[in-house]
Amino acid sequence: MFRGIIWIPPDTRFPFIRLRFYFFAISGFLMLATVALMATRGLNYGIDFTGGIMIEARFQGPVDVAATRAKVDSLNLGGTEIQGFGGPNEVLIRLPRQEGDEKAQSAAVEKVKAILGPGVEYRRVETVGPKVGAELLRESIVAVIVSLGGILVYIWFRFEWKWGAAAIAALFHDVISTIGVFSLSGLEFNLSTVAALLTIAGYSINDTVVILDRVRENLRKFKTMPLPELFDRSINETLSRTINTSGTVFLTVLALFAFGGPVIRDFSFALLWGVIVGSFSTICVALPMLLYMNIDRGAHDAPAKETAPKAP
């Protein structure tokens, strides 16, 4: 009978905890790099947050971006940005918000359409006011903070606050490093990216809870085992599940990134990075941090019928 492929042997005993200082160094580098990037490059905020006009245009053939930029610049609409987008025949045009009401914004759009000439398909035209953009940015920050706070409370009630603090540190690591990748790459940071950050937080905490559950089970089973050994055992026991789940999610998101089109490319890119860094932080950040939090081993004792669930 076909038994399938066993990626991780059941007797794997990789010394994750012994290597924790290397993992901490990697995480520290990612955090410091993000701070440096934010201080020097910042983020390429999308129109959702900055306000202005965004026009996504598709030409009938390959487009000369430089020539298109010269045409639009000749309109004197302010600091325009034009970049290739998706295929070689597509460009994304961003204009600052024009002085005046919505009629002024519509007039600017019509000027761009007129100078680009016929035969251009306008797939998206969006106008966002600066006040709306500022509100969206503020509400996005609040959404991320509230979601992390909610996760902290959930972990606190399910385990204890020290476990929740370790889990939140791992999530914070995931969110910050993702922001750093967007700063480094110059990809547009918009509402879709915020949605990706929340998705990454949800995915990562699910992975973390699975391993924390195994730690709690092993605390009941091995009451005298040193914590580093117990943590290593718990990580290795769930390693196959972690790699299989992360691998399938990564392949799914990779398909979205490759074939989903430019509209969701930034979103899927953020998720691709989030799957990688989320798995790393769960194994290499959350558990090693818990080692230094002086957890109460006796708090996880349970009645006999609830103790020592069998490992898979």
Side-chain angles (χ1 to χ4, degrees), residues 176-254:
I176 294 300
S177 65
T178 304
I179 292 174
V181 168
F182 268 74
S183 178
L184 177 65
S185 64
L187 290 173
E188 187 175 293
F189 193 88
N190 50 33
L191 283 177
S192 296
T193 313
V194 175
L197 290 178
L198 297 176
T199 306
I200 290 169
Y203 170 81
S204 182
I205 196 62
N206 177 62
D207 214 19
T208 303
V209 166
V210 169
I211 297 183
L212 293 182
D213 261 336
R214 183 55 58 96
V215 170
R216 184 165 58 180
E217 291 174 5
N218 285 336
L219 283 172
R220 294 167 180 166
K221 291 171 64 177
F222 307 104
K223 297 183 181 302
T224 59
M225 180 180 288
L227 283 180
E229 183 180 348
L230 188 142
F231 283 6
D232 262 340
R233 183 186 184 92
S234 302
I235 295 172
N236 281 286
E237 286 177 351
T238 55
L239 191 59
S240 179
R241 179 263 177 203
T242 299
I243 290 179
N244 287 334
T245 303
S246 299
T248 51
V249 172
F250 184 86
L251 291 176
T252 302
V253 180
L254 183 62

Side-chain angles (χ1 to χ4, degrees), residues 290-310:
L290 195 58
L291 192 64
Y292 297 98
M293 293 189 173
N294 192 28
I295 60 174
D296 181 8
R297 303 186 64 147
H300 304 282
D301 288 340
K305 63 180 181 179
E306 298 179 4
T307 58
K310 294 182 180 179

Side-chain angles (χ1 to χ4, degrees), residues 3 5 8 40 58 60 108 124 130 140 170 176 208 238 258 273 304:
R3 300 180 56 187
I5 299 174
I8 305 297
T40 56
R58 172 181 286 177
Q60 293 180 345
R124 181 167 53 138
S140 298
I176 294 300
T208 303
T238 55
W273 171 259

Side-chain angles (χ1 to χ4, degrees), residues 10-281:
D11 58 347
T12 297
R13 290 293 180 266
F14 190 83
F16 290 99
I17 299 300
R18 195 177 70 191
L19 300 175
R20 61 187 181 279
F21 296 112
Y22 296 102
F23 299 143
F24 288 157
I26 295 173
S27 295
F29 171 76
L30 290 175
M31 297 297 99
L32 291 176
T34 297
V35 172
L37 286 167
M38 289 297 293
T40 56
R41 295 171 58 96
L43 287 170
N44 178 24
Y45 288 110
I47 193 173
D48 300 335
F49 298 140
T50 61
I53 302 171
M54 178 183 291
I55 303 172
E56 184 182 333
R58 172 181 286 177
F59 291 72
Q60 293 180 345
V63 59
D64 185 337
V65 175
T68 304
R69 182 179 294 112
K71 286 183 180 178
V72 177
D73 284 347
S74 68
L75 297 173
N76 296 320
L77 295 174
T80 59
E81 295 181 19
I82 301 179
Q83 63 185 91
F85 185 74
N89 61 335
E90 296 177 339
V91 294
L92 188 65
I93 303 170
R94 299 167 64 179
L95 309 173
R97 184 171 177 81
Q98 306 298 302
E99 292 291 336
D101 56 12
E102 289 306 312
K103 290 183 179 178
Q105 315 311 315
S106 299
V109 172
E110 293 305 319
K111 287 181 180 177
V112 172
K113 290 182 177 180
I115 203 166
L116 294 182
V120 180
E121 176 189 356
Y122 296 96
R123 306 187 66 192
R124 181 167 53 138
V125 177
E126 295 180 1
T127 303
V128 178
K131 185 176 180 180
V132 174
E135 289 178 357
L136 289 174
L137 179 59
R138 184 171 59 252
E139 290 173 359
S140 298
I141 294 173
V142 170
V144 173
I145 293 174
V146 169
S147 66
L148 294 180
I151 290 172
L152 173 62
V153 172
Y154 167 71
I155 299 296
W156 186 348
F157 276 98
R158 181 159 178 174
F159 299 94
E160 58 175 299
W161 74 266
K162 295 175 181 176
W163 301 53
I168 288 299
L171 291 185
F172 187 76
H173 167 276
D174 300 342
V175 171
I176 294 300
S177 65
T178 304
I179 292 174
V181 168
F182 268 74
S183 178
L184 177 65
S185 64
L187 290 173
E188 187 175 293
F189 193 88
N190 50 33
L191 283 177
S192 296
T193 313
V194 175
L197 290 178
L198 297 176
T199 306
I200 290 169
Y203 170 81
S204 182
I205 196 62
N206 177 62
D207 214 19
T208 303
V209 166
V210 169
I211 297 183
L212 293 182
D213 261 336
R214 183 55 58 96
V215 170
R216 184 165 58 180
E217 291 174 5
N218 285 336
L219 283 172
R220 294 167 180 166
K221 291 171 64 177
F222 307 104
K223 297 183 181 302
T224 59
M225 180 180 288
L227 283 180
E229 183 180 348
L230 188 142
F231 283 6
D232 262 340
R233 183 186 184 92
S234 302
I235 295 172
N236 281 286
E237 286 177 351
T238 55
L239 191 59
S240 179
R241 179 263 177 203
T242 299
I243 290 179
N244 287 334
T245 303
S246 299
T248 51
V249 172
F250 184 86
L251 291 176
T252 302
V253 180
L254 183 62
L256 279 178
F257 179 76
F259 306 112
V263 174
I264 62 171
R265 187 153 295 157
D266 293 349
F267 175 81
S268 51
F269 175 81
L271 290 184
L272 281 175
W273 171 259
V275 170
I276 296 172
V277 77
S279 300
F280 171 81
S281 67

